[in-house]
Amino acid sequence: MSSDDSDSDVKMEPKPSTSKTGGKKKDGERKPKRKRIQDYLDEKAAREVAERAEEMLRLRRKRGIADDEDDPQETIFPMINPINFVKNKEIRHKRFKRLQTMKRKEEKENKKTRKLEGIPSAPTHTLETLREKDATMVTSIEAEDQEEVMNDLANDEFCEYYKKSYKPRVMITFNATPHNATREFASLLRRIIPNTSTFRRNKTQLKRVCQSAIRENFTDILVVNENKKKPEGLLLIHLPEGPTAHFKISNFKGMKDLKRKDTDITLHRPEVILNNFTTRLGLTIGRMLGALFHYDPEFRGRRAVTFHNQRDYIFFRHHLYEFDKNGKRVKLRELGPRFTLKLRSLQVGLFDGKCGDYEWMITNKRHQLEGRRRFFL
């Protein structure tokens, strides 16, 4: 047999095509994609939720409770966020952002519908608005049920001042070697509070300082204490019979920090604003701070001193108000300084570090069962 005949009998198999399109499979013959581990986890979570819902529905029907009724014995399980099961961080972050944008869009649409329908928005709540009610809170002094408060205010240590029977005279004192920040703080208090004078008490005890101040007809003493070269405490002693209040000073900003000058503070007597002192203790502290200033302000100077109480922190601000040409609008310009006071204790009578009788003293809230929404001023 010749070689040509043998070649003709054997069937030649076609070679596989090397072209790019020849090796592709048809669309109907594609293999299904392999499931990822995340898909199995999602299916498992959905299956568990469905089984739990079926079990709860079966128990409700067994007890004879309708589907639309509330079951008091039903245990409420926490909602499972499906995003938490996503192991890939980038995918989880994208899904979370998508949910956030959807929520914002819904909030905007709801806000537009409320405006069109004229429905007022829900009030915003803060710690100040959600504060716990205190038995000593005073809503209005002039109310009929506040006779006891009126009698106490008419016979307290500051009644003579509010009857305008004397003019206040304040002594500001500090230790023998005060640092620059303490000197600046005392000098600014001297410019703000009228009829004041500063003294260095050196190593003299405060009891002797109080006795000498009473002889010199001073009505109040301000003792500035320092710590780490900064003013840290303020002791306010009302003469001649007390009381004595101890404050902690924080967030002090002088004239350089506020980019102001001492010469901007004129010598006119300022107006005093006492805001948000609502309890009996707060009224005492407010009257004590107000008694430092003269009861007859000079409106020509257009100065205003504000003591604003918020969450038991007393914020001090000093402004100069200016009217426009028409006299309808007012502009405020802060003169400085700026600091915050925190009441530490209130002592009955003059200062006595050993045998003093304290009317109120701050407690450490971390070791007391006191809520964050309970305030004393």
Side-chain angles (χ1 to χ4, degrees), residues 268-320:
H268 297 88
R269 294 191 293 268
E271 304 173 44
V272 182
I273 301 171
L274 303 171
N275 189 24
N276 204 21
F277 293 93
T278 55
T279 61
R280 299 287 292 273
L281 178 64
L283 287 176
T284 303
I285 297 300
R287 288 167 65 87
M288 196 172 185
L289 293 172
L292 294 173
F293 299 85
H294 200 280
Y295 46 78
D296 188 12
E298 294 178 347
F299 298 101
R300 183 177 295 180
R302 294 177 283 110
R303 287 173 52 205
V305 172
T306 306
F307 292 95
H308 174 70
N309 173 43
Q310 187 173 355
R311 302 193 305 273
D312 287 349
Y313 288 93
I314 303 172
F315 298 94
F316 175 85
R317 297 293 183 269
H318 184 205
H319 292 93
L320 177 71

Short mmCIF file of all heavy atoms in Angstrom, two decimals, residues 268-320:
data_model
loop_
_atom_site.label_atom_id
_atom_site.label_comp_id
_atom_site.label_asym_id
_atom_site.label_seq_id
_atom_site.Cartn_x
_atom_site.Cartn_y
_atom_site.Cartn_z
N HIS A 268 -15.96 104.35 83.04
CA HIS A 268 -17.39 104.47 83.33
C HIS A 268 -17.87 103.22 84.07
O HIS A 268 -17.37 102.12 83.87
CB HIS A 268 -18.19 104.64 82.04
CG HIS A 268 -17.85 105.91 81.30
ND1 HIS A 268 -16.84 105.97 80.38
CD2 HIS A 268 -18.41 107.15 81.36
CE1 HIS A 268 -16.77 107.20 79.88
NE2 HIS A 268 -17.71 107.94 80.47
N ARG A 269 -18.87 103.42 84.91
CA ARG A 269 -19.45 102.29 85.64
C ARG A 269 -20.27 101.43 84.68
O ARG A 269 -21.15 101.95 83.97
CB ARG A 269 -20.33 102.79 86.78
CG ARG A 269 -19.55 103.53 87.87
CD ARG A 269 -20.42 103.75 89.09
NE ARG A 269 -21.51 104.68 88.82
CZ ARG A 269 -21.45 106.00 89.00
NH1 ARG A 269 -20.32 106.56 89.43
NH2 ARG A 269 -22.50 106.76 88.74
N PRO A 270 -20.01 100.12 84.62
CA PRO A 270 -20.67 99.28 83.61
C PRO A 270 -22.05 98.82 84.06
O PRO A 270 -22.42 98.89 85.25
CB PRO A 270 -19.72 98.09 83.48
CG PRO A 270 -19.13 97.96 84.85
CD PRO A 270 -19.02 99.36 85.40
N GLU A 271 -22.80 98.34 83.09
CA GLU A 271 -24.06 97.65 83.37
C GLU A 271 -23.77 96.17 83.63
O GLU A 271 -22.91 95.58 82.98
CB GLU A 271 -25.02 97.79 82.18
CG GLU A 271 -25.29 99.23 81.78
CD GLU A 271 -26.09 99.30 80.50
OE1 GLU A 271 -27.07 98.54 80.37
OE2 GLU A 271 -25.73 100.11 79.63
N VAL A 272 -24.50 95.58 84.55
CA VAL A 272 -24.27 94.20 84.97
C VAL A 272 -25.47 93.36 84.54
O VAL A 272 -26.62 93.71 84.82
CB VAL A 272 -24.05 94.09 86.49
CG1 VAL A 272 -23.75 92.65 86.88
CG2 VAL A 272 -22.91 95.00 86.92
N ILE A 273 -25.19 92.24 83.85
CA ILE A 273 -26.22 91.31 83.39
C ILE A 273 -25.96 89.97 84.05
O ILE A 273 -24.90 89.36 83.86
CB ILE A 273 -26.20 91.17 81.85
CG1 ILE A 273 -26.42 92.53 81.19
CG2 ILE A 273 -27.25 90.17 81.39
CD1 ILE A 273 -26.21 92.52 79.69
N LEU A 274 -26.92 89.50 84.83
CA LEU A 274 -26.86 88.20 85.50
C LEU A 274 -27.90 87.30 84.84
O LEU A 274 -29.10 87.57 84.92
CB LEU A 274 -27.14 88.33 86.99
CG LEU A 274 -26.21 89.29 87.76
CD1 LEU A 274 -26.72 89.50 89.17
CD2 LEU A 274 -24.80 88.75 87.78
N ASN A 275 -27.44 86.24 84.20
CA ASN A 275 -28.32 85.44 83.36
C ASN A 275 -28.33 83.98 83.82
O ASN A 275 -27.28 83.40 84.11
CB ASN A 275 -27.85 85.51 81.90
CG ASN A 275 -28.84 84.87 80.95
OD1 ASN A 275 -30.03 84.76 81.26
ND2 ASN A 275 -28.37 84.44 79.80
N ASN A 276 -29.53 83.42 83.91
CA ASN A 276 -29.77 81.98 84.09
C ASN A 276 -29.33 81.48 85.47
O ASN A 276 -28.88 80.34 85.61
CB ASN A 276 -29.07 81.17 82.99
CG ASN A 276 -29.71 79.82 82.79
OD1 ASN A 276 -30.87 79.61 83.15
ND2 ASN A 276 -28.97 78.89 82.22
N PHE A 277 -29.49 82.28 86.50
CA PHE A 277 -29.32 81.82 87.88
C PHE A 277 -30.72 81.50 88.42
O PHE A 277 -31.46 82.40 88.82
CB PHE A 277 -28.63 82.88 88.74
CG PHE A 277 -27.21 83.15 88.34
CD1 PHE A 277 -26.91 84.17 87.45
CD2 PHE A 277 -26.18 82.39 88.85
CE1 PHE A 277 -25.60 84.43 87.08
CE2 PHE A 277 -24.87 82.63 88.48
CZ PHE A 277 -24.58 83.65 87.60
N THR A 278 -31.10 80.22 88.41
CA THR A 278 -32.50 79.84 88.61
C THR A 278 -32.78 79.20 89.96
O THR A 278 -33.94 79.13 90.35
CB THR A 278 -32.92 78.87 87.50
OG1 THR A 278 -32.03 77.75 87.47
CG2 THR A 278 -32.90 79.56 86.14
N THR A 279 -31.79 78.71 90.68
CA THR A 279 -32.04 78.05 91.96
C THR A 279 -31.77 79.02 93.11
O THR A 279 -31.29 80.14 92.91
CB THR A 279 -31.15 76.80 92.10
OG1 THR A 279 -29.78 77.20 92.06
CG2 THR A 279 -31.42 75.83 90.96
N ARG A 280 -32.07 78.57 94.33
CA ARG A 280 -31.81 79.41 95.50
C ARG A 280 -30.31 79.67 95.66
O ARG A 280 -29.89 80.78 95.99
CB ARG A 280 -32.36 78.72 96.75
CG ARG A 280 -33.86 78.49 96.73
CD ARG A 280 -34.62 79.79 96.92
NE ARG A 280 -34.43 80.31 98.25
CZ ARG A 280 -35.19 79.98 99.30
NH1 ARG A 280 -36.19 79.14 99.15
NH2 ARG A 280 -34.97 80.52 100.48
N LEU A 281 -29.51 78.63 95.42
CA LEU A 281 -28.06 78.81 95.45
C LEU A 281 -27.60 79.73 94.33
O LEU A 281 -26.72 80.58 94.53
CB LEU A 281 -27.37 77.45 95.34
CG LEU A 281 -25.85 77.45 95.32
CD1 LEU A 281 -25.28 77.98 96.62
CD2 LEU A 281 -25.32 76.04 95.05
N GLY A 282 -28.19 79.58 93.16
CA GLY A 282 -27.83 80.45 92.04
C GLY A 282 -28.19 81.90 92.30
O GLY A 282 -27.44 82.81 91.92
N LEU A 283 -29.33 82.15 92.95
CA LEU A 283 -29.69 83.53 93.30
C LEU A 283 -28.68 84.14 94.26
O LEU A 283 -28.30 85.31 94.13
CB LEU A 283 -31.09 83.56 93.91
CG LEU A 283 -32.27 83.33 92.96
CD1 LEU A 283 -33.56 83.29 93.74
CD2 LEU A 283 -32.32 84.42 91.91
N THR A 284 -28.22 83.35 95.22
CA THR A 284 -27.22 83.86 96.17
C THR A 284 -25.92 84.22 95.46
O THR A 284 -25.33 85.28 95.70
CB THR A 284 -26.96 82.82 97.26
OG1 THR A 284 -28.19 82.49 97.90
CG2 THR A 284 -25.98 83.34 98.29
N ILE A 285 -25.47 83.34 94.56
CA ILE A 285 -24.22 83.60 93.84
C ILE A 285 -24.39 84.80 92.90
O ILE A 285 -23.49 85.65 92.77
CB ILE A 285 -23.79 82.34 93.07
CG1 ILE A 285 -23.50 81.19 94.04
CG2 ILE A 285 -22.57 82.62 92.22
CD1 ILE A 285 -22.40 81.48 95.04
N GLY A 286 -25.54 84.89 92.24
CA GLY A 286 -25.77 86.01 91.34
C GLY A 286 -25.80 87.34 92.08
O GLY A 286 -25.21 88.34 91.63
N ARG A 287 -26.48 87.38 93.22
CA ARG A 287 -26.52 88.61 94.01
C ARG A 287 -25.14 88.95 94.57
O ARG A 287 -24.78 90.12 94.71
CB ARG A 287 -27.53 88.46 95.15
CG ARG A 287 -28.97 88.47 94.68
CD ARG A 287 -29.91 87.99 95.78
NE ARG A 287 -29.94 88.89 96.93
CZ ARG A 287 -30.73 89.95 97.04
NH1 ARG A 287 -31.54 90.26 96.05
NH2 ARG A 287 -30.72 90.70 98.13
N MET A 288 -24.37 87.93 94.87
CA MET A 288 -23.01 88.15 95.39
C MET A 288 -22.11 88.77 94.33
O MET A 288 -21.32 89.68 94.61
CB MET A 288 -22.45 86.81 95.87
CG MET A 288 -21.25 86.91 96.77
SD MET A 288 -20.85 85.28 97.42
CE MET A 288 -19.53 85.71 98.54
N LEU A 289 -22.22 88.27 93.09
CA LEU A 289 -21.42 88.84 92.00
C LEU A 289 -21.90 90.23 91.61
O LEU A 289 -21.10 91.11 91.26
CB LEU A 289 -21.47 87.91 90.79
CG LEU A 289 -20.80 86.54 90.95
CD1 LEU A 289 -21.09 85.66 89.75
CD2 LEU A 289 -19.29 86.70 91.13
N GLY A 290 -23.22 90.44 91.66
CA GLY A 290 -23.75 91.76 91.31
C GLY A 290 -23.40 92.82 92.33
O GLY A 290 -23.31 94.02 91.98
N ALA A 291 -23.17 92.42 93.60
CA ALA A 291 -22.85 93.39 94.64
C ALA A 291 -21.44 93.94 94.52
O ALA A 291 -21.07 94.86 95.26
CB ALA A 291 -23.03 92.75 96.02
N LEU A 292 -20.62 93.40 93.61
CA LEU A 292 -19.28 93.94 93.40
C LEU A 292 -19.30 95.26 92.64
O LEU A 292 -18.38 96.08 92.78
CB LEU A 292 -18.42 92.93 92.63
CG LEU A 292 -18.09 91.61 93.32
CD1 LEU A 292 -17.39 90.68 92.34
CD2 LEU A 292 -17.20 91.85 94.54
N PHE A 293 -20.34 95.48 91.84
CA PHE A 293 -20.40 96.64 90.97
C PHE A 293 -21.34 97.70 91.56
O PHE A 293 -22.20 97.40 92.39
CB PHE A 293 -20.89 96.23 89.57
CG PHE A 293 -19.98 95.25 88.89
CD1 PHE A 293 -20.09 93.89 89.13
CD2 PHE A 293 -19.01 95.68 88.01
CE1 PHE A 293 -19.26 92.98 88.51
CE2 PHE A 293 -18.17 94.78 87.38
CZ PHE A 293 -18.29 93.43 87.63
N HIS A 294 -21.18 98.89 91.07
CA HIS A 294 -22.02 100.00 91.53
C HIS A 294 -23.43 99.81 91.00
O HIS A 294 -23.64 99.39 89.86
CB HIS A 294 -21.44 101.33 91.06
CG HIS A 294 -21.93 102.50 91.84
ND1 HIS A 294 -23.16 103.08 91.63
CD2 HIS A 294 -21.36 103.19 92.87
CE1 HIS A 294 -23.33 104.09 92.46
NE2 HIS A 294 -22.25 104.18 93.23
N TYR A 295 -24.42 100.12 91.86
CA TYR A 295 -25.82 99.90 91.48
C TYR A 295 -26.33 100.95 90.50
O TYR A 295 -27.42 100.80 89.95
CB TYR A 295 -26.70 99.88 92.73
CG TYR A 295 -26.44 101.00 93.70
CD1 TYR A 295 -26.90 102.29 93.48
CD2 TYR A 295 -25.70 100.77 94.86
CE1 TYR A 295 -26.65 103.31 94.37
CE2 TYR A 295 -25.43 101.78 95.75
CZ TYR A 295 -25.91 103.06 95.50
OH TYR A 295 -25.64 104.08 96.38
N ASP A 296 -25.57 102.03 90.28
CA ASP A 296 -26.00 103.09 89.37
C ASP A 296 -25.03 103.14 88.19
O ASP A 296 -24.00 103.80 88.26
CB ASP A 296 -26.02 104.43 90.11
CG ASP A 296 -26.65 105.53 89.26
OD1 ASP A 296 -27.26 105.19 88.23
OD2 ASP A 296 -26.52 106.71 89.63
N PRO A 297 -25.30 102.42 87.09
CA PRO A 297 -24.35 102.40 85.96
C PRO A 297 -24.37 103.71 85.18
O PRO A 297 -25.36 104.45 85.19
CB PRO A 297 -24.85 101.23 85.10
CG PRO A 297 -26.30 101.15 85.40
CD PRO A 297 -26.47 101.56 86.84
N GLU A 298 -23.28 103.97 84.51
CA GLU A 298 -23.16 105.14 83.64
C GLU A 298 -23.37 104.68 82.20
O GLU A 298 -22.50 104.06 81.59
CB GLU A 298 -21.78 105.78 83.81
CG GLU A 298 -21.56 106.38 85.18
CD GLU A 298 -20.18 106.97 85.35
OE1 GLU A 298 -19.31 106.71 84.50
OE2 GLU A 298 -19.97 107.69 86.35
N PHE A 299 -24.53 105.00 81.67
CA PHE A 299 -24.90 104.52 80.34
C PHE A 299 -24.11 105.21 79.23
O PHE A 299 -24.10 104.73 78.10
CB PHE A 299 -26.40 104.73 80.11
CG PHE A 299 -27.26 103.96 81.07
CD1 PHE A 299 -27.84 104.59 82.17
CD2 PHE A 299 -27.48 102.61 80.89
CE1 PHE A 299 -28.63 103.88 83.05
CE2 PHE A 299 -28.27 101.89 81.78
CZ PHE A 299 -28.84 102.53 82.86
N ARG A 300 -23.46 106.32 79.57
CA ARG A 300 -22.68 107.01 78.55
C ARG A 300 -21.48 106.16 78.11
O ARG A 300 -21.04 106.23 76.96
CB ARG A 300 -22.20 108.35 79.10
CG ARG A 300 -21.43 109.19 78.09
CD ARG A 300 -21.06 110.53 78.68
NE ARG A 300 -22.24 111.33 78.97
CZ ARG A 300 -22.20 112.56 79.50
NH1 ARG A 300 -21.03 113.10 79.81
NH2 ARG A 300 -23.32 113.22 79.73
N GLY A 301 -20.95 105.35 79.01
CA GLY A 301 -19.81 104.51 78.67
C GLY A 301 -20.16 103.33 77.78
O GLY A 301 -19.29 102.76 77.12
N ARG A 302 -21.45 102.90 77.76
CA ARG A 302 -21.93 101.80 76.91
C ARG A 302 -21.16 100.51 77.15
O ARG A 302 -20.90 99.73 76.24
CB ARG A 302 -21.86 102.20 75.43
CG ARG A 302 -22.79 103.33 75.05
CD ARG A 302 -22.66 103.76 73.62
NE ARG A 302 -21.47 104.58 73.41
CZ ARG A 302 -20.42 104.17 72.73
NH1 ARG A 302 -20.38 102.98 72.20
NH2 ARG A 302 -19.37 104.96 72.59
N ARG A 303 -20.79 100.27 78.40
CA ARG A 303 -20.11 99.02 78.77
C ARG A 303 -21.11 98.08 79.44
O ARG A 303 -21.99 98.52 80.19
CB ARG A 303 -18.96 99.29 79.73
CG ARG A 303 -17.74 99.94 79.10
CD ARG A 303 -16.73 100.31 80.18
NE ARG A 303 -16.44 99.17 81.04
CZ ARG A 303 -16.01 99.28 82.29
NH1 ARG A 303 -15.85 100.47 82.84
NH2 ARG A 303 -15.75 98.20 83.00
N ALA A 304 -20.95 96.79 79.16
CA ALA A 304 -21.83 95.77 79.73
C ALA A 304 -20.99 94.59 80.18
O ALA A 304 -20.19 94.05 79.41
CB ALA A 304 -22.88 95.32 78.72
N VAL A 305 -21.18 94.19 81.43
CA VAL A 305 -20.51 93.03 82.01
C VAL A 305 -21.55 91.93 82.19
O VAL A 305 -22.60 92.16 82.78
CB VAL A 305 -19.85 93.39 83.36
CG1 VAL A 305 -19.33 92.14 84.05
CG2 VAL A 305 -18.72 94.37 83.15
N THR A 306 -21.25 90.74 81.68
CA THR A 306 -22.22 89.64 81.68
C THR A 306 -21.66 88.46 82.46
O THR A 306 -20.51 88.04 82.24
CB THR A 306 -22.54 89.19 80.24
OG1 THR A 306 -22.96 90.33 79.49
CG2 THR A 306 -23.64 88.14 80.24
N PHE A 307 -22.49 87.92 83.37
CA PHE A 307 -22.22 86.65 84.04
C PHE A 307 -23.32 85.69 83.60
O PHE A 307 -24.46 85.79 84.04
CB PHE A 307 -22.24 86.81 85.57
CG PHE A 307 -21.11 87.62 86.12
CD1 PHE A 307 -21.27 88.98 86.36
CD2 PHE A 307 -19.88 87.04 86.38
CE1 PHE A 307 -20.23 89.73 86.86
CE2 PHE A 307 -18.83 87.79 86.88
CZ PHE A 307 -19.00 89.14 87.13
N HIS A 308 -22.97 84.78 82.72
CA HIS A 308 -23.94 83.84 82.15
C HIS A 308 -23.69 82.45 82.71
O HIS A 308 -22.59 81.90 82.56
CB HIS A 308 -23.83 83.82 80.62
CG HIS A 308 -24.70 82.78 79.97
ND1 HIS A 308 -26.08 82.88 79.94
CD2 HIS A 308 -24.39 81.62 79.35
CE1 HIS A 308 -26.57 81.82 79.32
NE2 HIS A 308 -25.57 81.04 78.96
N ASN A 309 -24.71 81.90 83.36
CA ASN A 309 -24.60 80.56 83.94
C ASN A 309 -25.15 79.53 82.97
O ASN A 309 -26.27 79.67 82.47
CB ASN A 309 -25.38 80.51 85.26
CG ASN A 309 -25.44 79.09 85.81
OD1 ASN A 309 -24.45 78.38 85.80
ND2 ASN A 309 -26.61 78.69 86.28
N GLN A 310 -24.36 78.52 82.71
CA GLN A 310 -24.78 77.42 81.84
C GLN A 310 -24.11 76.15 82.32
O GLN A 310 -22.88 76.05 82.33
CB GLN A 310 -24.40 77.70 80.38
CG GLN A 310 -24.96 76.68 79.41
CD GLN A 310 -24.72 77.08 77.97
OE1 GLN A 310 -24.22 78.17 77.69
NE2 GLN A 310 -25.07 76.22 77.04
N ARG A 311 -24.94 75.19 82.76
CA ARG A 311 -24.45 73.90 83.28
C ARG A 311 -23.47 74.11 84.43
O ARG A 311 -22.42 73.47 84.51
CB ARG A 311 -23.82 73.06 82.18
CG ARG A 311 -24.74 72.76 81.02
CD ARG A 311 -24.17 71.68 80.13
NE ARG A 311 -22.84 72.01 79.66
CZ ARG A 311 -22.57 72.71 78.58
NH1 ARG A 311 -23.57 73.19 77.85
NH2 ARG A 311 -21.34 72.95 78.22
N ASP A 312 -23.79 75.06 85.32
CA ASP A 312 -23.00 75.38 86.52
C ASP A 312 -21.64 76.00 86.19
O ASP A 312 -20.78 76.09 87.07
CB ASP A 312 -22.79 74.14 87.39
CG ASP A 312 -24.07 73.74 88.11
OD1 ASP A 312 -25.03 74.54 88.09
OD2 ASP A 312 -24.11 72.65 88.69
N TYR A 313 -21.43 76.42 84.96
CA TYR A 313 -20.24 77.18 84.59
C TYR A 313 -20.67 78.63 84.35
O TYR A 313 -21.59 78.89 83.58
CB TYR A 313 -19.59 76.62 83.32
CG TYR A 313 -18.89 75.30 83.53
CD1 TYR A 313 -19.56 74.09 83.31
CD2 TYR A 313 -17.57 75.25 83.96
CE1 TYR A 313 -18.92 72.88 83.51
CE2 TYR A 313 -16.92 74.04 84.15
CZ TYR A 313 -17.60 72.86 83.93
OH TYR A 313 -16.96 71.65 84.13
N ILE A 314 -19.99 79.55 85.01
CA ILE A 314 -20.32 80.97 84.91
C ILE A 314 -19.33 81.61 83.94
O ILE A 314 -18.13 81.71 84.22
CB ILE A 314 -20.25 81.65 86.29
CG1 ILE A 314 -21.19 80.94 87.27
CG2 ILE A 314 -20.63 83.12 86.17
CD1 ILE A 314 -21.05 81.42 88.70
N PHE A 315 -19.84 82.03 82.79
CA PHE A 315 -19.01 82.62 81.74
C PHE A 315 -19.02 84.14 81.90
O PHE A 315 -20.09 84.76 81.95
CB PHE A 315 -19.53 82.23 80.35
CG PHE A 315 -19.51 80.75 80.09
CD1 PHE A 315 -20.62 79.97 80.34
CD2 PHE A 315 -18.36 80.14 79.62
CE1 PHE A 315 -20.61 78.61 80.11
CE2 PHE A 315 -18.33 78.78 79.38
CZ PHE A 315 -19.46 78.01 79.63
N PHE A 316 -17.82 84.71 81.95
CA PHE A 316 -17.68 86.16 82.09
C PHE A 316 -17.34 86.75 80.73
O PHE A 316 -16.41 86.30 80.05
CB PHE A 316 -16.57 86.49 83.09
CG PHE A 316 -16.28 87.97 83.20
CD1 PHE A 316 -17.03 88.76 84.04
CD2 PHE A 316 -15.28 88.56 82.44
CE1 PHE A 316 -16.78 90.12 84.14
CE2 PHE A 316 -15.01 89.91 82.53
CZ PHE A 316 -15.77 90.69 83.38
N ARG A 317 -18.10 87.79 80.33
CA ARG A 317 -17.84 88.52 79.10
C ARG A 317 -17.98 90.02 79.36
O ARG A 317 -18.78 90.44 80.20
CB ARG A 317 -18.81 88.09 77.98
CG ARG A 317 -18.69 86.64 77.56
CD ARG A 317 -17.36 86.36 76.89
NE ARG A 317 -17.28 84.98 76.42
CZ ARG A 317 -16.80 83.97 77.13
NH1 ARG A 317 -16.38 84.18 78.37
NH2 ARG A 317 -16.75 82.75 76.62
N HIS A 318 -17.20 90.78 78.62
CA HIS A 318 -17.18 92.23 78.78
C HIS A 318 -17.28 92.85 77.39
O HIS A 318 -16.40 92.64 76.55
CB HIS A 318 -15.87 92.65 79.48
CG HIS A 318 -15.80 94.11 79.77
ND1 HIS A 318 -14.61 94.80 79.91
CD2 HIS A 318 -16.78 95.03 79.96
CE1 HIS A 318 -14.86 96.06 80.17
NE2 HIS A 318 -16.17 96.23 80.21
N HIS A 319 -18.37 93.59 77.14
CA HIS A 319 -18.65 94.11 75.81
C HIS A 319 -18.84 95.63 75.84
O HIS A 319 -19.15 96.22 76.89
CB HIS A 319 -19.92 93.47 75.22
CG HIS A 319 -19.77 92.03 74.89
ND1 HIS A 319 -20.11 91.03 75.78
CD2 HIS A 319 -19.30 91.40 73.78
CE1 HIS A 319 -19.87 89.85 75.23
NE2 HIS A 319 -19.39 90.04 74.02
N LEU A 320 -18.69 96.20 74.66
CA LEU A 320 -19.03 97.59 74.40
C LEU A 320 -20.07 97.60 73.28
O LEU A 320 -19.81 97.07 72.19
CB LEU A 320 -17.79 98.38 73.98
CG LEU A 320 -18.02 99.85 73.60
CD1 LEU A 320 -18.33 100.67 74.84
CD2 LEU A 320 -16.81 100.42 72.88
#
